[in-house]
Amino acid sequence: CSRSSVSGKLLFYVWLTPLPFLLNRIKASGLKLRFCTNETQATREGFVKKLQGMGFDISVAEVTAPAPAACRILKERSLRPHLLVHNDLVPEFAEIDKTNPNCVVIGDAAENFTYGNLNEAFRVLIGMEKPVLISLGKGRYYKETDGLKLDVGAYMKALEYACDVQAEVVGKPAKTFFESALAEMGVPPQQAIMIGDDIVNDVGGAQQCGMRALQVRTGKYRPCDENHPHVKPDAYVNNLAEAVDIILQQL
């Protein structure tokens, strides 16, 4: 595993559970930082409010998330979405015309992933000459306090198969997602590090963008990740605190 030196810049991924003092250590070091999340069950404002309630010093401007990226695409291409998303995420699309849909946007809709709702999205897509399916991620599963749960990728694949369409992914691991975060900070990929628990979405996505990536052995990490046939992290760390220690020691 490599522990290459880090030069003055950092792209930093956190999934809802680290201690706030680790964030303060990063900020005090002068490194640039972004929270890169595939959270699609809440707006960025809701996501930030949740973290602030846990003691994090974080602003909406420090969060890169899929829904705003999808809205930019919809506006640029004059697309009117049929939304299959979580109810709490709908406000992100408040300024988007949704009449007479000419595409489908799918996110982690959780309890909204019913047969009826999936079939409605299917009917929108199958009725188009050139169906457009935009997915706010393609994760297979994620971890909550009560265990692992199916993520948006499973439902995205169902619609792809039924409608013979290739989804456009705007969340992790899409290269454009990481490029957006880097552009917001004004940092080249060679000077950025991703820390995440998802071998494909976090580590693989960052590396294909030219970044280095560390995988933490917490969260959704599973031992079999270390034998992944395609994605090899630059290093494994046991937890977020260890990752921060390594990075700051290398400055």
Side-chain angles (χ1 to χ4, degrees), residues 147-162:
L148 299 177
K149 297 188 176 183
L150 281 176
D151 203 349
V152 61
Y155 304 97
M156 177 197 81
K157 286 295 184 181
L159 291 174
E160 283 186 330
Y161 177 71

Side-chain angles (χ1 to χ4, degrees), residues 185-204:
M185 293 188 296
V187 176
Q190 298 81 7
Q191 293 185 1
I193 290 179
M194 179 75 174
I195 305 172
D197 63 355
D198 189 309
I199 186 68
V200 174
N201 287 341
D202 298 334
V203 176

Side-chain angles (χ1 to χ4, degrees), residues 46-67:
F47 178 77
V48 167
K49 185 176 180 180
K50 184 174 183 178
L51 287 179
Q52 288 174 340
M54 298 167 63
F56 286 87
D57 177 17
I58 179 176
S59 68
V60 172
E62 292 175 309
V63 176
T64 301

Side-chain angles (χ1 to χ4, degrees), residues 28-39:
S29 73
L31 295 174
K32 293 186 178 181
L33 174 149
R34 277 297 182 279
F35 287 78
C36 297
T37 177
N38 265 5
E39 172 63 60

